[in-house]
Amino acid sequence: MYKPEHFTETDREAINDFIEANPFMTIMGHDGEKCYATQIPVMTEQREDVLYIKGHVSRYSDHYPVLAKNSEVLGLFTGPHCYVSASWYTKRGQASTWNYMSVQVRGSMRWFNENETMELVRELTHQYENGQENPELLEDMPGDYVSEHVKAIAGFEITVTSLDATFKLSQNRDDESYRNIVTQLMATDDIQGIMVAGEMMKLRPTLFE
């Protein structure tokens, strides 16, 4: 992972907040010959300073047997990203770049039994349905339907053993360049760029008072 010191995020609370705000994780595994990747929604839990990630994959995917064979996995969480033009800097003759926020986790996967998988799906459903006007909860669905579909998925928990975060938000730029980058991004109709600008304003709030 690309992580120069001035772009590396070490605040665990900030990293955990980022993961919770961007829970659609890309999980990657290797069977000794090929790499495989799957994107899935996940839940996180902190227990005694250890981060755990829970989710499920289809048993009928090409990825499942790979993960079942090799429990060591890599997970990627991505946030907003955008192009930053060098024409926005105070000094000319420098390269343009890309701003982004990204977290990588490595860990060991443990597979859930059917009861644990059922509980995971219940928790995941509540996490996203509780805010709905008429939530569609697992406990309200027909038992046969639930049983059939739970058998088709494999729930898991990853014990995170290492975590790296790069929040590349023009921290290496002078205040004038920094302010101009934000101004230029806010003036576009690119939602990703606007989100990056919002994150940049949080880093140097006094520039935008």
Side-chain angles (χ1 to χ4, degrees):
M1 185 180 194
Y2 178 67
K3 50 177 185 177
E5 184 177 353
H6 45 273
F7 298 143
T8 299
E9 180 60 66
T10 58
D11 185 330
R12 284 297 298 269
E13 184 176 352
I15 295 171
N16 289 344
D17 288 346
F18 175 82
I19 291 175
E20 290 182 6
N22 299 276
F24 197 51
M25 180 182 78
T26 300
I27 183 171
M28 290 161 273
H30 196 277
D31 66 358
E33 295 182 0
K34 295 171 60 179
C35 293
Y36 294 78
T38 300
Q39 292 173 290
I40 53 172
V42 295
M43 300 176 63
T44 60
E45 183 179 348
Q46 194 84 18
R47 302 198 298 267
E48 297 182 355
D49 296 326
V50 177
L51 181 64
Y52 296 87
I53 298 172
K54 297 185 289 186
H56 61 80
V57 295
S58 169
R59 292 183 181 273
Y60 304 116
S61 68
D62 61 353
H63 200 171
Y64 171 66
V66 174
L67 295 173
K69 180 180 179 180
N70 183 358
S71 64
E72 297 302 310
V73 296
L74 170 67
L76 174 64
F77 297 89
T78 58
H81 57 89
C82 68
Y83 178 74
V84 174
S85 171
S87 68
W88 304 340
Y89 305 158
T90 54
K91 294 181 180 180
R92 304 295 297 183
Q94 299 185 56
S96 299
T97 191
W98 205 273
N99 277 3
Y100 63 92
M101 302 177 76
S102 178
V103 172
Q104 288 187 8
V105 298
R106 296 181 186 273
S108 181
M109 175 182 288
R110 176 182 73 84
W111 294 103
F112 285 163
N113 59 36
E114 188 172 321
N115 289 336
E116 290 174 311
T117 299
M118 185 79 76
E119 178 60 20
L120 165 69
V121 175
R122 188 193 68 79
E123 290 180 17
L124 197 60
T125 303
H126 272 271
Q127 177 165 307
Y128 293 103
E129 283 292 320
N130 280 347
Q132 302 299 320
E133 184 175 348
N134 296 297
E136 190 70 80
L137 302 176
L138 185 72
E139 51 266 37
D140 298 329
M141 298 177 187
D144 291 346
Y145 173 87
V146 172
S147 179
E148 176 186 353
H149 283 76
V150 168
K151 284 182 170 60
I153 62 175
F156 63 81
E157 179 179 79
I158 299 171
T159 303
V160 175
T161 54
S162 70
L163 184 154
D164 295 291
T166 296
F167 293 173
K168 186 173 178 292
L169 299 169
S170 299
Q171 294 96 321
N172 58 328
R173 296 298 164 189
D174 62 87
D175 285 349
E176 185 178 348
S177 296
Y178 195 93
R179 186 166 42 239
N180 197 41
I181 292 168
V182 169
T183 299
Q184 294 289 341
L185 292 176
M186 291 296 291
T188 71
D189 57 2
D190 176 13
I191 187 62
Q192 294 282 336
I194 293 171
M195 292 172 68
V196 167
E199 294 295 333
M200 291 178 64
M201 285 189 280
K202 292 178 186 177
L203 289 181
R204 299 185 190 177
T206 57
L207 296 181
F208 307 96
E209 293 177 347

